[in-house]
Amino acid sequence: MYMKPGTLYVYLTYGMYHCFNISSQGPGAAVLLRALEPLEGTEYMKQERKKHKKSEISKAKDLKTQELCNGPAKLCISFNITKEICSEQDLTVWDGMWIEEDEVSVNPCNIVTSHRIGIDSVGIEWASKPLRFYILGNTSVSKRDKVKEKDILEISKHFT
């Protein structure tokens, strides 16, 4: 997170799952990618996920598209993002991964802002900061903030 902006930082969590961030402007600043909505390449993602399943029963289960990348470890497994392959890669020059602007514009009013998940151990101040963002109603998010979503929908009724 202290690398040149646009650099991937891949690390292990719980000693077994990869997660990744992209460094951004300023010391310690980064975008933490925790989920995404697969739009293409889902068969590849399913195969990658099956490689990491332990039992034959779980390997046989057909994952729904919204389950492929709905968490940081699932996202990394689905794309084979590992520390060995991807960490410290500069996205401005590396052709192994890139970020594209979405063709569909998202209304800023449809972006849910809530607290991050699973960081209670850092204390109430940081655990409650609104540093998590996702698109309203997106099913590819690991945990949706139903209260925030309801508030946004209520507010939007007044403007339509």
Side-chain angles (χ1 to χ4, degrees):
M1 295 190 329
Y2 292 87
M3 295 179 269
K4 173 185 161 203
T7 305
L8 289 173
Y9 171 61
V10 183
Y11 61 95
L12 280 176
T13 184
Y14 303 115
M16 60 195 295
Y17 297 113
H18 287 99
C19 293
F20 83 107
N21 305 331
I22 301 173
S23 61
S24 61
Q25 297 293 327
V31 175
L32 289 67
L33 293 145
R34 299 298 179 252
L36 65 74
E37 179 181 2
L39 299 177
E40 57 185 57
T42 56
E43 288 307 312
Y44 172 82
M45 292 178 211
K46 286 179 183 181
Q47 291 304 315
E48 290 300 307
R49 289 286 305 280
K50 282 182 183 180
K51 288 180 190 176
H52 288 80
K53 297 287 184 185
K54 291 180 176 39
S55 73
E56 291 304 315
I57 294 170
S58 62
K59 284 183 182 184
K61 180 186 173 202
D62 192 32
L63 293 167
K64 296 176 185 166
T65 299
Q66 69 265 23
E67 296 174 324
L68 290 171
C69 301
N70 66 340
K74 294 175 185 178
L75 169 59
C76 286
I77 292 168
S78 293
F79 282 91
N80 193 25
I81 296 171
T82 66
K83 190 174 182 178
E84 298 76 26
I85 297 170
C86 303
S87 197
E88 299 185 30
Q89 294 288 350
D90 181 344
L91 291 176
T92 64
V93 295
W94 186 47
D95 64 358
M97 183 185 299
W98 62 92
I99 297 173
E100 295 180 12
E101 187 171 338
D102 194 352
E103 296 173 4
V104 178
S105 178
V106 175
N107 182 338
C109 296
N110 290 333
I111 297 175
V112 179
T113 304
S114 68
H115 67 281
R116 288 185 46 214
I117 305 298
I119 64 163
D120 294 336
S121 62
V122 300
I124 190 75
E125 179 187 357
W126 281 99
S128 61
K129 286 190 182 281
L131 296 172
R132 183 173 183 255
F133 309 92
Y134 65 92
I135 299 171
L136 178 69
N138 192 295
T139 58
S140 295
V141 175
S142 58
K143 293 187 179 171
R144 291 169 53 194
D145 188 329
K146 302 285 185 165
V147 174
K148 292 277 186 165
E149 289 187 18
K150 184 179 175 187
D151 291 346
I152 291 171
L153 291 170
E154 284 298 318
I155 291 169
S156 68
K157 286 181 187 177
H158 299 291
F159 294 102
T160 55

